[in-house]
């Protein structure tokens, strides 16, 4: 038998709220006994739209299975160690984002979630990331700047990393 995998990170727009097909796939995969027997820690990461009251209501609805540990949008800071709180706050300041960290139920299992509200990100950090993508991978971010999903994905990537 091979050794368990210490960490798997899944990036999806349905990290916080089950919307449709991907959410159903995540429930099946992340709730599976075989998955949880092989993976020691799972973090499901993605975007958050803090200004969307409907999304925020669905996110915090008890039926969604989310437990907030840290959320600057909700004023929750006591569910993490002081060093983790300081690290999350430093990411928020550097990138101009709001973070939500907690757990969410997926099927019969509970996994960590990390969500980023990048509605007003630090443009300097975003531009530096775009340059890094161009310099190393020749990805022309300007070409796809009309795609809201593309822009959002690139805005949440640096703070998630």
């Amino acid at each position: 038998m091979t050794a368990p995998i210490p960490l798997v990170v899944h990036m999806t727009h349905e990290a916080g709220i089950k919307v449709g097909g991907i959410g159903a796939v995540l429930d099946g995969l992340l709730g599976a006994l075989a998955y949880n027997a092989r993976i020691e820690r799972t973090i499901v990461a993605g975007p958050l739209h803090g200004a969307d009251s409907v999304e925020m209501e669905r996110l915090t609805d008890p039926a969604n299975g989310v437990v907030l540990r840290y959320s600057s949008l909700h004023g929750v800071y006591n569910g993490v160690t002081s060093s983790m709180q300081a690290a999350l706050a430093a990411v928020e300041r550097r990138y101009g984002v709001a973070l939500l960290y907690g757990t969410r139920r997926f099927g019969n299992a509970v996994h960590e979630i990390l969500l980023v509200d990048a509605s007003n990100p630090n443009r300097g950090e975003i531009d530096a990331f775009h340059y890094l993508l161009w310099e190393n991978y020749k990805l022309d971010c300007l070409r796809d700047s009309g795609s809201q999903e593309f822009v959002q994905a690139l805005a949440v990537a640096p703070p998630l990393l």
Side-chain angles (χ1 to χ4, degrees):
M1 174 128 173
T2 59
I5 298 170
L7 173 66
V8 172
V9 177
H10 299 273
M11 172 73 173
T12 174
H13 64 285
E14 293 194 30
I17 302 169
K18 180 178 176 182
V19 177
I22 295 299
V25 169
L26 287 172
D27 276 349
L29 173 67
L30 301 180
L33 292 175
Y35 176 92
N36 289 293
R38 293 276 299 127
I39 310 299
E40 292 180 359
R41 181 179 181 199
T42 296
I43 301 174
V44 186
L48 175 67
H49 306 99
D52 184 335
S53 61
V54 173
E55 181 175 327
M56 296 306 284
E57 184 177 323
R58 288 188 64 206
L59 178 72
T60 57
D61 184 319
N64 192 35
V66 169
V67 174
L68 299 178
R69 304 282 185 219
Y70 176 99
S71 174
S72 56
L73 293 173
H74 297 91
V76 174
Y77 304 102
N78 59 355
V80 296
T81 64
S82 59
S83 61
M84 187 172 183
Q85 181 180 341
L88 292 169
V91 169
E92 289 179 315
R93 282 190 305 276
R94 177 176 177 181
Y95 294 102
V97 299
L99 297 177
L100 182 149
Y101 171 77
T103 60
R104 179 176 164 212
R105 189 177 56 254
F106 293 90
N108 292 322
V110 174
H111 297 288
E112 295 169 79
I113 59 170
L114 181 59
L115 308 178
V116 177
D117 180 346
S119 55
N120 191 23
N122 176 334
R123 284 303 323 164
E125 291 291 344
I126 297 299
D127 291 344
F129 184 57
H130 288 187
Y131 180 75
L132 177 106
L133 292 173
W134 169 253
E135 185 176 49
N136 291 289
Y137 307 105
K138 303 303 180 226
L139 178 63
D140 183 1
C141 297
L142 187 59
R143 182 190 68 211
D144 296 310
S145 64
S147 166
Q148 184 57 36
E149 288 181 352
F150 180 82
V151 170
Q152 181 184 55
L154 292 187
V156 302
L160 285 174
L161 292 173

